[in-house]
Amino acid sequence: SAVISQKPSRDICQRGTSLTIQCQVDSQVTMMFWYRQQPGQSLTLIATANQGSEATYESGFVIDKFPISRPNLTFSTLTVSNMSPEDSSIYLCSVGYSGGAYEQFFGPGTRLTVL
Amino acid sequence: AQSVTQPDIHITVSEGASLELRCNYSYGATPYLFWYVQSPGQGLQLLLKYFSGDTLVQGIKGFEAEFKRSQSSFNLRKPSVHWSDAAEYFCAVGARGGADGLTFGKGTHLIIQP
């Protein structure tokens, strides 16, 4: 399985600011995804990070609020822009493969608190 | 659209007792199904998966799950729970497993009584 790291592991931010979360994988992967887990809730898919092209966003999530980059097959970033307290969540990246293996592996998450 | 229902928000089980966590899914074709566990302050760990073949699948930590197409269910079981099994358990479905984003159920919080 892939080893996934996220930075930062947690942060406390002021409303109106932005935070960029990094996701690094120890091997090349086909697919990378970003999820949000609001307090006491389940995981919701934000977007699929596509290498070299714009991310594919799920309903309810927009690029202006959650810009995503994926410059290569091992790295992606998610920015939470113009934050409000409602953005306080755990943000997780995950990786998967388009053929052969069917698992999806998750990073440790970034715990974000917005004051 | 795909969806996952975990009917039990909380379950309390005595240590050493058997466990069954329920999961029902809605999906138009043969689904890729997963169970993940999230311990306090930890990330998600994959317990087991199903995408074809034998409908009874074995996972890590002594867990197993049975896929029942007729009931659209994928229930998780363990014959004897340990205190370390206390955690949040999520059932998830995906169209192409690792190639697509997953849809998660709301989770079941497992409490182990001594």
Side-chain angles (χ1 to χ4, degrees), chain B residues 52-104:
Chain B
S52 67
D54 193 346
T55 57
L56 183 64
V57 294
Q58 302 296 320
I60 63 171
K61 304 185 178 186
F63 286 93
E64 66 178 26
E66 186 170 12
F67 171 64
K68 292 186 177 180
R69 184 187 300 275
S70 62
Q71 299 178 18
S72 297
S73 68
F74 188 56
N75 294 348
L76 181 72
R77 301 194 293 251
K78 186 170 185 178
S80 177
V81 298
H82 186 263
W83 64 266
S84 60
D85 292 324
E88 193 79 20
Y89 290 80
F90 293 98
C91 181
V93 64
R96 295 183 295 160
D100 279 325
L102 301 179
T103 298
F104 283 81

Side-chain angles (χ1 to χ4, degrees), chain B residues 2-112:
Chain B
Q2 58 201 37
S3 66
V4 177
T5 301
Q6 292 181 249
D8 304 305
I9 298 173
H10 300 277
I11 282 188
T12 301
V13 178
S14 297
E15 189 169 16
S18 63
L19 170 71
E20 182 169 26
L21 302 182
R22 295 183 292 166
C23 172
N24 292 97
Y25 68 90
S26 174
Y27 186 68
T30 300
Y32 293 84
L33 293 161
F34 307 86
W35 275 99
Y36 287 88
V37 60
Q38 186 178 41
S39 299
Q42 303 295 312
L44 266 71
Q45 183 179 24
L46 179 67
L47 286 176
L48 46 77
K49 62 185 184 292
Y50 171 81
F51 49 89
S52 67
D54 193 346
T55 57
L56 183 64
V57 294
Q58 302 296 320
I60 63 171
K61 304 185 178 186
F63 286 93
E64 66 178 26
E66 186 170 12
F67 171 64
K68 292 186 177 180
R69 184 187 300 275
S70 62
Q71 299 178 18
S72 297
S73 68
F74 188 56
N75 294 348
L76 181 72
R77 301 194 293 251
K78 186 170 185 178
S80 177
V81 298
H82 186 263
W83 64 266
S84 60
D85 292 324
E88 193 79 20
Y89 290 80
F90 293 98
C91 181
V93 64
R96 295 183 295 160
D100 279 325
L102 301 179
T103 298
F104 283 81
K106 292 186 180 298
T108 296
H109 185 61
L110 177 62
I111 300 166
I112 307 295

Side-chain angles (χ1 to χ4, degrees), chain A residues 2-3 19 23 27 34 36 38 44 52 55 67 70 77 81 105 107-108 110 112:
Chain A
V3 176
L19 176 72
C23 179
S27 60
W34 287 97
R36 180 176 71 182
Q38 295 177 299
T44 301
R70 189 179 173 192
T77 66
S81 303
F105 302 99
T110 295
L112 171 62

Side-chain angles (χ1 to χ4, degrees), chain A residues 65-92:
Chain A
K65 176 66 176 178
F66 297 101
I68 288 170
S69 77
R70 189 179 173 192
N72 56 50
L73 293 176
T74 63
F75 185 78
S76 178
T77 66
L78 168 75
T79 299
V80 186
S81 303
N82 188 24
M83 288 183 286
S84 66
E86 292 71 33
D87 294 319
S88 297
S89 297
I90 299 173
Y91 292 87
L92 301 100

Side-chain angles (χ1 to χ4, degrees), chain A residues 10-61:
Chain A
R10 59 176 63 224
D11 207 343
I12 300 173
C13 301
Q14 298 297 319
R15 70 170 66 211
T17 63
S18 298
L19 176 72
T20 295
I21 302 168
Q22 299 179 1
C23 179
Q24 178 74 55
V25 191
D26 68 341
S27 60
Q28 292 186 344
V29 294
T30 312
M31 312 298 294
M32 295 183 78
F33 306 93
W34 287 97
Y35 291 82
R36 180 176 71 182
Q37 186 177 23
Q38 295 177 299
Q41 302 297 313
S42 184
L43 284 80
T44 301
L45 179 66
I46 297 172
T48 302
N50 300 309
Q51 193 225 343
S53 65
E54 192 171 287
T56 304
Y57 291 85
E58 298 299 304
S59 175
F61 297 96

